[in-house]
Amino acid sequence: MKSRMIFILGGTCAGKSTLALNIARRLDIFHIVPTDIVRQVMSSTVNTELMPFLVRSSYEETAFNGEVGLTFHLQRRFVLAGVKGVVARASREQFDL
């Protein structure tokens, strides 16, 4: 059986996690992976002095190197690699996500 994967995109505090929990309950999906969890795992495995943007909260639009918004874009770029890894594993092991 193929795994079912649902991706929910939206801005900060838009209700993505709440929606994910509601959908997961209705569809009996037991794995929910918020990007904040992926970011946390990544920040615990790399030197955060080299990548300080990984430990900043995605809820804060923090200035980094003088540019507001750069922190978000750097997180998005690096966290995407972690998300791709989670999706690949879910697909390989055929679990819903």
Side-chain angles (χ1 to χ4, degrees), residues 9-28:
L9 307 172
T12 302
C13 298
K16 299 177 297 289
S17 296
T18 301
L19 180 60
L21 288 169
N22 289 330
I23 291 171
R25 267 190 229 116
R26 284 183 178 230
L27 299 178
D28 292 325

Side-chain angles (χ1 to χ4, degrees), residues 10-11 18 26 41 53 58-59 64 68 70 75-76 79 84:
T18 301
R26 284 183 178 230
V41 169
F53 52 86
S58 59
Y59 291 105
F64 184 72
V68 174
L70 184 57
Q75 280 184 359
R76 178 184 54 84
V79 171
K84 285 181 178 180

Side-chain angles (χ1 to χ4, degrees), residues 5-60:
M5 293 186 211
I6 300 170
F7 298 88
I8 300 171
L9 307 172
T12 302
C13 298
K16 299 177 297 289
S17 296
T18 301
L19 180 60
L21 288 169
N22 289 330
I23 291 171
R25 267 190 229 116
R26 284 183 178 230
L27 299 178
D28 292 325
I29 295 175
F30 301 103
H31 298 89
I32 298 175
V33 184
T35 54
D36 282 346
I37 298 293
V38 175
R39 184 172 50 85
Q40 182 64 39
V41 169
M42 292 180 77
S43 69
S44 68
T45 61
V46 299
N47 182 343
T48 55
E49 290 179 14
L50 296 175
M51 297 184 180
F53 52 86
L54 282 178
V55 295
R56 290 194 177 107
S57 172
S58 59
Y59 291 105
E60 299 171 7

